[in-house]
Amino acid sequence: MTSPLSRRKKTVSHWSDIPFVTKPPLDILLCAPRGFCAGVVRAIDAVEKALILHGAPVYVRHEIVHNKYVVESLKRKGAVFVSELSQVPDATRPVIFSAHGVAKSVPAEADERKLFAIDATCPLVTKVHREAEVHHKRGRHILLVGHAGHPEVIGTMGQLPPGAITLIETLDDVATLEPPAGKPLAFVTQTTLSVDDTRGIVEALQQRFPELIAPHKEDICYATTNRQEAVKRVAPQVDALIVVGSPNSSNSQRLREVAERAGCPVARLVLRTDEIDWSVFGAIGSLGITAGASAPEVLVEEIIDAFAERYEVRVETVSTADENVFFPLPRELRDAPAAAE
Ligand code: SF4
């Protein structure tokens, strides 16, 4: 027979089902540096300054940076995102090129249509463009280590005539590469790659082509390198790690991979709190958090708040580098007179 006591028993599957229970503890290790890099700050500032100086609408070709939250907030302020310049109906309005850089054909088309174009390409991407141009001028064939289809890769390949650059994505590409005969080889890379993967690919290239000419200074940018270093430090110490960022953000995807390879059992890319899978993150003792270079800090704070509702959180910052990089705005937006009221 069932006793009155056992009838009152309720199956408890999770601590959160128990009323008035103390929240379990959670140690959050915040990676530093994380989030916005100097190139992203410059690109967003460029759109905002253009809106202040010239009013809405300001057209932006492609996502200014790979983050939906940033794009939506700029839309609310009057930015209009287009995929091609042909969608800009009014040549008197500013049109801004994104931080990832564009093929030469894009500013050429803007010139032809006499558009008011402002280039917000990150200076560190422009540096790669210039390197590729110099190699080409010196008669070298260029190998670009990067991911097909990424806007930065499209922009870099588009600096030179078709055939001048070969894209290398994998070690297999290195093994099967048949470069044009009689030309010296040089390589450049996408700025947001995995430092470790790229090292492997470059070593394989150098083994096959000992005369390969390397960049004077690493093409993978300081922000990508620093964020990956911080994740490498934190990942082995935590039960799970969240990368705040967009699925189409290359540097965010690389951070997730770096965390997994550094020994973190669970590493997920999360754009907003509604994407947190609580069946995975609901019963952990420690959590690492970082953010891709295009993810604003407000989204990191939102994620911490979501965990604080379920856990007694203790937040500690783990810093592996100081960053003080700053890029001035594109020339058209510096010291420009404000639009008449
Ligand atoms: S991730 Fe690096 S290259 Fe890309 S915008 Fe930021 S600083 Fe520039």
Side-chain angles (χ1 to χ4, degrees), residues 62 90 98 138 170 290 338:
H62 292 183
D90 180 353
S98 79
R138 295 186 179 165
T170 63
T290 186

Side-chain angles (χ1 to χ4, degrees), residues 216-290:
H216 290 302
K217 192 170 177 290
E218 180 71 76
D219 288 334
I220 296 178
C221 76
Y222 78 96
T224 300
T225 308
N226 289 347
R227 279 149 193 70
Q228 289 180 16
E229 271 311 307
V231 165
K232 277 188 206 166
R233 172 86 62 86
V234 165
Q237 305 179 48
V238 291
D239 296 333
L241 185 137
I242 283 181
V243 179
V244 184
S246 294
N248 58 345
S249 157
S250 170
N251 77 85
S252 303
Q253 288 286 9
R254 302 296 82 78
L255 290 173
R256 188 189 54 73
E257 292 166 7
V258 165
E260 278 174 355
R261 283 182 204 167
C264 185
V266 177
R268 294 282 160 85
L269 191 57
V270 169
L271 190 58
R272 302 293 295 266
T273 49
D274 55 2
E275 290 181 3
I276 300 172
D277 180 353
W278 292 108
S279 69
V280 174
F281 290 96
I284 52 172
S286 55
L287 173 73
I289 300 182
T290 186

Side-chain angles (χ1 to χ4, degrees), residues 177-201:
L177 175 67
E178 287 182 25
K183 279 194 161 198
L185 287 178
F187 81 90
V188 296
T189 82
Q190 194 179 327
T191 57
T192 52
L193 298 178
S194 150
V195 172
D196 295 332
D197 285 353
T198 307
R199 189 181 301 121
I201 290 179

